[in-house]
């Protein structure tokens, strides 16, 4: 018996250990659901790897008595996760893309943008108002939202309503809506409600004419250390080409405007017949003043990123090297555009997607921002920032 036990122990010691990939995430239920979905995809692609999820709280999770726009911190939901990434406590982090600033701290990059879910905003009504719409809510009904972008657009469209800040994760905000009498409805991202399985709580989906969405809303971003080529190649298979190009255009638009959560900026993008359409707008805090416009560019969307081999992101030998801890030199990885010193565009690295469409998407965002700036957007944004800082 002891001999067999010794033999088994020796065999276990000699067998190759599975590499453990540590994945950082926020602690909220929605964040865990989103991270679990990404990890499940990676596990299916890389069965020889083991994944460990490490959850933590962020500044935005801890400060719940102040409006997001008042906190004055650009990385409300990302800073603690990036610290863990910097200290090599995690290898990658899954975020809601809309939480990631358009300028990341040095040494980090977004290595993957997953296929986008419905990016539009949704209205969830208090049980006594189920069946209503924003338009048919009673005069002076209070609608909760943590977003200046939503409040500015909706105040302009639905002047009979009052908009107040509401904070907390999805569970907390829904509980405040249902158990208290303060709010007649709250505005949330449709994608978050769908991922939580709460489709039945969606009372109304807001169309772009009513409320355009936040940059990157509905998409998940995977942040990694910019120099970790093996991890970049590992997560690069998750890129959804159309989502990537739409989000590059949106992020370039926001970055060039120098916008953020302290000012109302919103977008809407669509791909149709080889054209990428980008609509963007800026609003005063009360929604009374706004500038919007639309531009388009001819952009070829590459086919879906292949998972392994062939024309793909990562060939089988490179995949085996990653799984066996022997990280491949750059020549092992099949990058369509070849090596580049600075492949990032608006904080995103996508070497497995042709560079031309990425640059075209970025230029579209910059061009639309310049158009709005030429029409007076800077003044609207400056006044909005000043008012937000003083109130």
């Amino acid at each position: 018996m002891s001999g067999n036990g010794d033999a088994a122990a020796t065999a276990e010691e000699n067998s190759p250990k599975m590499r453990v990939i540590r994945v950082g995430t926020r602690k909220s239920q929605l964040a865990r659901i989103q991270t679990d979905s990404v990890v499940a995809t990676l596990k299916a692609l890389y069965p020889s790897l083991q994944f460990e999820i490490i959850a933590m709280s962020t500044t935005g999770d801890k400060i719940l008595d102040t409006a997001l726009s008042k906190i004055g911190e650009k990385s409300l939901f990302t800073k603690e996760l990036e610290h863990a990434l910097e200290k090599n406590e995690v290898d990658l982090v899954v975020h809601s893309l809309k939480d990631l600033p358009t300028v990341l701290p040095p040494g980090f990059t977004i290595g993957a943008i997953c296929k986008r879910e419905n990016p539009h905003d949704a209205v969830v009504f208090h049980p006594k108002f189920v069946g209503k719409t924003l338009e048919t809510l009673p005069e002076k009904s209070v609608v909760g939202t943590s977003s200046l972008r939503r409040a500015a657009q909706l105040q302009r469209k639905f002047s009979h309503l009052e908009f107040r800040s509401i904070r907390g994760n999805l569970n907390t905000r829904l509980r405040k809506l249902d158990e208290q009498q303060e709010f007649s409805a709250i505005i949330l991202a449709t994608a978050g409600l769908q991922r939580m399985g709460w489709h039945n709580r969606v009372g109304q989906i807001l169309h772009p004419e009513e409320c355009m969405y936040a940059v990157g809303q509905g998409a998940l971003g995977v942040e990694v250390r910019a120099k970790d080529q093996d991890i970049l190649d590992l997560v690069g298979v998750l890129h959804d080409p159309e989502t990537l190009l739409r989000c590059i255009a949106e992020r370039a638009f926001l970055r060039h405007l120098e916008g953020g959560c302290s000012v109302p900026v919103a977008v809407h993008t669509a791909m149709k017949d080889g054209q990428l359409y980008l609509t963007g707008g800026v609003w005063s805090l009360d929604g009374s003043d706004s500038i919007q416009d639309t531009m388009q560019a001819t952009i070829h969307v590459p086919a879906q990123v292949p998972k392994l081999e062939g024309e793909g992101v990562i060939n089988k030998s490179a995949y085996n090297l990653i799984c066996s801890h022997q990280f491949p030199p750059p020549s092992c990885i099949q990058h369509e555009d070849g090596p580049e010193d600075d492949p990032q565009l608006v904080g995103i690295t996508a070497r497995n997607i042709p560079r031309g469409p990425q640059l075209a998407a970025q230029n579209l965002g910059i061009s639309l921002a310049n158009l709005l700036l030429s029409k007076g957007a800077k003044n609207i944004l400056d006044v909005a920032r000043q008012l937000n800082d003083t109130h």
Side-chain angles (χ1 to χ4, degrees):
M1 291 291 292
S2 61
N4 290 338
D6 291 343
T10 302
E12 184 176 340
E13 288 173 5
N14 292 335
S15 64
K17 291 184 178 180
M18 294 178 73
R19 184 185 176 193
V20 177
I21 305 295
R22 299 154 302 166
V23 183
T25 181
R26 291 166 61 194
K27 286 184 175 179
S28 76
Q29 184 183 357
L30 175 59
R32 286 302 305 264
I33 287 172
Q34 293 177 164
T35 301
D36 288 347
S37 71
V38 171
V39 169
T41 302
L42 289 172
K43 281 181 176 178
L45 291 168
Y46 303 106
S48 299
L49 297 179
Q50 184 176 336
F51 294 86
E52 177 186 355
I53 296 176
I54 300 172
M56 59 195 80
S57 296
T58 66
T59 302
D61 297 314
K62 297 170 186 174
I63 305 175
L64 297 176
D65 57 352
T66 307
L68 293 175
S69 60
K70 301 286 188 184
I71 298 175
E73 168 64 59
K74 286 186 177 180
S75 304
L76 287 175
F77 298 107
T78 61
K79 187 168 67 173
E80 286 78 6
L81 294 163
E82 287 172 340
H83 284 170
L85 201 54
E86 185 177 31
K87 292 185 289 185
N88 290 307
E89 294 172 354
V90 296
D91 300 298
L92 56 101
V93 178
V94 179
H95 301 278
S96 293
L97 185 62
K98 69 176 182 178
D99 291 338
L100 282 166
T102 56
V103 179
L104 299 183
F108 300 114
T109 189
I110 300 168
I113 296 181
C114 305
K115 186 174 179 61
R116 188 178 220 166
E117 292 198 33
N118 189 329
H120 299 286
D121 290 314
V123 187
V124 180
F125 292 94
H126 187 280
K128 68 181 179 183
F129 291 120
V130 169
K132 294 280 190 181
T133 64
L134 288 182
E135 191 163 358
T136 60
L137 279 176
E139 191 85 14
K140 301 298 182 185
S141 292
V142 177
V143 178
T145 174
S146 59
S147 163
L148 292 179
R149 168 189 61 81
R150 290 169 179 154
Q153 293 181 81
L154 294 174
Q155 282 180 119
R156 184 184 181 96
K157 186 79 175 178
F158 305 100
S159 57
H160 67 293
L161 302 177
E162 182 182 337
F163 294 85
R164 290 183 197 163
S165 177
I166 183 170
R167 288 292 318 282
N169 59 39
L170 284 186
N171 308 65
T172 301
R173 280 180 275 178
L174 283 173
R175 189 164 57 249
K176 287 179 180 179
L177 172 68
D178 293 341
E179 297 178 3
Q180 301 173 14
Q181 298 301 315
E182 180 180 359
F183 300 102
S184 299
I186 58 176
I187 314 296
L188 300 169
T190 302
L193 290 164
Q194 290 177 336
R195 289 174 183 140
M196 294 285 280
W198 294 341
H199 304 77
N200 64 322
R201 293 306 307 264
V202 177
Q204 178 182 3
I205 292 181
L206 298 172
H207 300 293
E209 299 77 22
E210 299 167 313
C211 187
M212 289 196 291
Y213 44 80
V215 166
Q217 185 161 301
L220 301 180
V222 181
E223 188 177 18
V224 303
R225 291 179 290 271
K227 298 297 184 183
D228 275 5
Q229 188 60 60
D230 64 309
I231 298 296
L232 268 170
D233 286 313
L234 187 82
V235 303
V237 296
L238 299 175
H239 273 305
D240 178 71
E242 179 176 321
T243 302
L244 169 75
L245 297 174
R246 289 172 61 186
C247 289
I248 285 176
E250 294 171 16
R251 287 171 63 84
F253 170 73
L254 182 64
R255 178 193 278 190
H256 203 67
L257 283 178
E258 297 182 352
C261 68
S262 63
V263 289
V265 177
V267 295
H268 174 255
T269 51
M271 292 288 312
K272 186 177 181 181
D273 300 328
Q275 298 289 309
L276 174 56
Y277 295 85
L278 171 63
T279 301
V282 301
W283 286 261
S284 59
L285 290 188
D286 64 1
S288 61
D289 197 6
S290 71
I291 298 175
Q292 301 177 52
D293 219 315
T294 301
M295 296 185 75
Q296 68 190 81
T298 301
I299 295 181
H300 170 67
V301 179
Q304 182 64 42
V305 176
K307 302 309 180 191
L308 290 172
E309 291 212 85
E311 303 173 0
V313 182
I314 183 169
N315 60 32
K316 202 164 191 176
S317 61
Y319 166 75
N320 291 333
L321 287 168
I322 287 176
C323 294
S324 65
H325 304 222
Q326 303 172 48
F327 305 141
S331 59
C332 287
I333 307 300
Q334 299 177 19
H335 295 305
E336 185 160 348
D337 294 318
E340 293 180 79
D341 292 332
D342 183 18
Q344 287 196 41
L345 291 179
V346 286
I348 301 165
T349 299
R351 295 191 182 190
N352 51 333
I353 305 292
R355 187 73 164 173
Q358 293 186 62
L359 289 170
Q362 177 182 252
N363 290 338
L364 176 62
I366 292 171
S367 297
L368 182 61
N370 282 330
L371 178 60
L372 266 59
L373 289 170
S374 73
K375 294 183 174 184
K378 186 177 187 305
N379 183 59
I380 292 176
L381 294 174
D382 287 346
V383 171
R385 284 192 189 92
Q386 292 166 7
L387 287 173
N388 186 53
D389 290 342
T390 57
H391 285 77

